[in-house]
Amino acid sequence: MASFGEVYDVAVVGGGPAGLASAKAAAEAGAKVIVFEEHPAIGTPVQCGELLSRSALTELGMRPSKRWLANEFRKVRLVSPGGTEALIEMPPDVETPLFTIERKIWEKDLARLVGKAGATIVTRARVTDLVRKDGAICGVKVRHLKEDRVVRAKVVLACDGPGSPIGRKAGIKIPTSPSKYASIAQYQLAGADIDADIGEVHFYPSPKDICYILPKGDGYANVGYGTLGAGSDRAITMLDGFVRHDPRLAKASIIETNVGVEPISGLHEEISVDRLLLVGDAAGMVNPLTVAGMRFSAWAGVRAGRLAAEAAEDGDASKERLGQLREAFLKLFGQRFRFMDALRTTVFGLEPRDLDDMFAHLGHVKIPARLFRGKKEPVFYPLRMLVGLLIRKPRFFKKLGPLIKARRGGE
């Protein structure tokens, strides 16, 4: 392992998807890169539903592998608090855009690519602070194997997850209100009596409480609960209630438990200072509705790594230069994030009977194959089906009308 006393072009704080994507791209661009991961192993703990998009793999130069691809499903069942169901189905003749994975194995595969690109990865290494010279960031302080060390770097990429402690130390304002975060609890279940071809989203026991079932095949699934704020204890309690409530899950064995938080307020107003850039969850690059982040971490990580390598080479790692990542992210995903935030706010403001009516109206929606060949998001197609509901039940004009109009911004 390289000496900590050396000067690196890029120091990456965090060895999750954003950090690994950043390190890979920076190393491939010719930079000398080091990654610090506080946990003993890359890929742990698993603090997500392990749902990966095909587009994320494309960004990272990876292909689906039997080593970590658990399952592909083409249907999503939506269930209201009252038990009314809607089924969203993708066509059989197109590639599924999403699949469940074994994230621990997938991240290790990505880490191997990072090492192959020439970057150094150090586990059990917690970055405790930033190093400054004449007030300017010039590296990081690291606690590794009970020893404190200093690493000099021309650019620091903070990929340290929700709340970004290193971003805070850099003076970046990170949202702190519990309402800006979702608390999530998840079980990995074995022996569940579920359909491997159907993912499920349950609004239980209210529209503000979201439970999900992500099948991984052969009775194996990730089952989770998420809501605004609340905290991990309540999230676990609510998840227990959901599992007991569903007879298909009640007798399954819990083989892993994970809890965590995710930002839901969208991209932070500020993600850069001179010589430091936030990437991934640390920057708020998380879907405000689904709290999915790996797709955005992959996209942003690749661009952050290239940007950091260029900045280190030409000596311009200014706040404005590194802030180009935020501008690019907003240009591509800004409208979509604003729409997803509006959709979350709308759904959370509905009454249980509203979801009953909505899902009854949707019924079985088959998304046309042509939408998967265009630039628009197929996921927005079911919203078009709700237009008729506005006519049948006028009370939805006030509740859904603005959202339907905002649909174009999300696409």
Side-chain angles (χ1 to χ4, degrees):
M1 182 178 68
S3 169
F4 277 70
E6 296 182 45
V7 175
Y8 289 82
D9 295 318
V10 181
V12 180
V13 183
L20 295 175
S22 298
K24 178 176 180 288
E28 289 174 342
K32 186 176 183 181
V33 182
I34 188 164
V35 182
F36 295 110
E37 169 54 46
E38 65 177 339
H39 295 103
I42 294 293
T44 60
V46 175
Q47 293 184 320
C48 73
E50 297 184 292
L51 195 63
L52 184 66
S53 71
R54 203 174 290 272
S55 61
L57 291 183
T58 301
E59 288 285 356
L60 296 169
M62 302 178 73
R63 297 187 178 212
S65 168
K66 292 181 179 180
R67 284 172 40 78
W68 43 259
L69 197 159
N71 187 40
E72 299 180 64
F73 54 90
R74 296 183 175 275
K75 302 174 185 177
V76 176
R77 178 183 291 128
L78 306 176
V79 185
S80 74
T84 303
E85 298 182 2
L87 186 66
I88 314 298
E89 183 175 355
M90 290 176 280
D93 55 342
V94 300
E95 290 185 326
T96 54
L98 298 168
F99 29 72
T100 49
I101 63 170
E102 295 296 336
R103 180 168 167 175
K104 296 174 186 176
I105 302 174
W106 174 73
E107 279 197 25
K108 285 186 173 65
D109 271 9
L110 179 55
R112 282 198 288 269
L113 295 178
V114 173
K116 186 177 180 180
T120 298
I121 300 175
V122 185
T123 57
R124 292 185 293 175
R126 183 170 63 90
V127 174
T128 59
D129 207 345
L130 295 167
V131 177
R132 298 177 186 268
K133 182 177 181 181
D134 298 327
I137 295 170
C138 60
V140 295
K141 296 179 181 179
V142 183
R143 180 75 171 173
H144 180 246
L145 300 179
K146 299 182 179 181
E147 184 177 350
D148 293 318
R149 304 191 183 187
V150 171
V151 172
R152 304 283 177 177
K154 298 175 183 178
V155 182
V156 176
L157 297 180
C159 309
D160 50 340
S164 186
I166 294 304
R168 293 178 194 277
K169 290 182 179 295
I172 296 176
K173 293 182 179 180
I174 310 291
T176 57
S177 170
S179 65
K180 301 296 184 181
Y181 294 86
S183 296
I184 302 168
Q186 177 176 280
Y187 292 150
Q188 287 189 359
L189 298 183
D193 185 19
I194 57 173
D195 190 330
D197 194 41
I198 303 178
E200 300 183 24
V201 178
H202 295 246
F203 296 86
Y204 176 86
S206 80
K208 292 183 179 180
D209 300 284
I210 299 179
C211 300
Y212 58 83
I213 301 174
L214 300 176
K216 302 179 84 172
D218 196 25
Y220 178 36
N222 287 340
V223 179
Y225 166 88
T227 193
L228 294 179
S232 59
D233 289 343
R234 181 174 185 272
I236 285 287
T237 299
M238 297 300 288
L239 178 57
D240 282 338
F242 174 68
V243 170
R244 289 195 302 268
H245 168 77
D246 193 324
R248 302 172 303 162
L249 309 176
K251 295 183 179 180
S253 298
I254 301 173
I255 61 176
E256 185 171 332
T257 301
N258 291 292
V259 296
V261 297
E262 286 290 352
I264 57 169
S265 57
L267 185 66
H268 298 337
E269 290 297 322
E270 183 181 35
I271 68 170
S272 63
V273 296
D274 291 348
R275 301 186 183 181
L276 182 141
L277 175 64
L278 307 185
V279 189
D281 290 11
M285 296 173 176
V286 177
N287 187 309
L289 176 66
T290 66
V291 298
M294 284 202 284
R295 172 189 181 186
F296 307 110
S297 288
W299 182 94
V302 169
R303 284 149 186 82
R306 292 170 183 165
L307 183 60
E310 293 169 1
E313 182 178 8
D314 62 27
D316 178 13
S318 65
K319 172 182 177 179
E320 293 73 23
R321 174 79 176 276
L322 299 179
Q324 292 175 6
L325 178 67
R326 186 176 190 277
E327 296 173 6
F329 190 92
L330 284 175
K331 184 176 181 180
L332 186 60
F333 301 115
Q335 286 185 327
R336 188 173 308 163
F337 267 42
R338 286 190 292 272
F339 177 81
M340 286 297 184
D341 184 62
L343 181 56
R344 172 177 55 81
T345 301
T346 299
V347 171
F348 283 12
L350 296 176
E351 300 175 11
R353 71 184 183 112
D354 294 330
L355 286 181
D356 288 336
D357 288 343
M358 287 173 60
F359 294 168
H361 177 79
L362 286 174
H364 187 175
V365 178
K366 295 184 178 181
I367 302 177
R370 59 181 171 78
L371 295 184
F372 289 82
R373 295 187 288 269
K375 294 183 178 180
K376 294 185 177 182
E377 291 276 5
V379 71
F380 292 105
Y381 180 77
L383 291 175
R384 301 178 186 178
M385 304 297 101
L386 292 176
V387 174
L389 186 64
L390 300 179
I391 299 173
R392 290 178 51 243
K393 295 185 180 293
R395 79 174 191 276
F396 279 99
F397 268 104
K398 183 177 181 180
K399 296 183 177 183
L400 297 182
L403 186 62
I404 297 296
K405 291 181 180 179
R407 174 179 56 82
R408 295 186 181 277
E411 293 181 355

